[in-house]
Every structure is written in C-alpha cells, then in structure tokens.
Amino acid sequence: NIRDSVPLAEEQLALMMRIIRNFQHGKMDAELHWLDLGCGDGYVGRRLLREFPNSRGTLLDFSEPMLESARQKIREQGDQDRATVRKGDLSDSTWKDVLQKD
C-alpha cells in the first residue's frame, strides 16, 4: 500500500477531518461540498464521504486508471450518488472547465 510509505498518513487524515469538523461546528446537518484535486484512487474523497454523510464531492485527476479505481471504490462504498469523478489536468489552465460539465 502506497500510503504506508507516507509518514503519519493516518494522523494527517485524522487532522484534516478534525479541521473540517471545526469549520462545520454548529452546522453538522448542513450539506458539505468539497473538491479533491489530484484525487488518485479517491482515498481522501472516500474518507470524506464516510466521515461526512451529508457531504457531496467532486474528485479530479488526470489519470484514467486512477479515476476508474476511484469510481469502482466509491461504488463499492455505496456513495456513487454523492460523488462526481472528473478527468482534468491541473497543469492545463482550462482544468476548471471540466467542473462545469454535468
């Protein structure tokens, strides 16, 4: 697992979730919209979907194999109705345009 090579990976994710909860303070029932840039296989996005059941997100990456992996894992998690997976290259100045597609 590639994440095993990232020092303190789980601690980093736990901190991210805690920061988001603090921003949501008093509004936990409100729908949270998030964007995962360079999502890879969707690991962070899937975690957000699990931790925040009222959230919706868009995952963006340039690698079709990674995006297909993200789609599959999101389906397996049962969250395909709350996540949009898009192909886009952040080195291309038009990457934001793919966010507007339905």
Side-chain angles (χ1 to χ4, degrees), residues 10-22 24 27-30 32 34 42-56 77 79 82:
E10 186 55 38
E11 289 82 354
Q12 291 176 36
L13 281 170
L15 178 60
M16 183 187 310
M17 299 304 133
R18 198 166 71 225
I19 289 168
I20 294 169
R21 276 193 198 87
N22 285 339
Q24 289 285 108
K27 303 178 275 184
M28 288 307 285
D29 291 334
L32 172 69
W34 48 264
Y43 184 80
V44 173
R46 293 191 321 274
R47 176 80 174 256
L48 286 165
L49 291 165
R50 279 194 312 270
E51 298 274 338
F52 300 96
N54 292 332
S55 75
R56 300 185 68 74
Q77 189 171 299
D79 287 321
R82 297 190 302 124

Side-chain angles (χ1 to χ4, degrees), residues 39 57-60 66-68 70-71 74 83-87:
C39 68
T58 301
L59 296 86
L60 183 79
M66 294 304 278
L67 292 170
E68 188 49 44
R71 288 182 191 100
I74 289 168
T84 303
V85 179
R86 300 268 191 237
K87 184 173 184 176

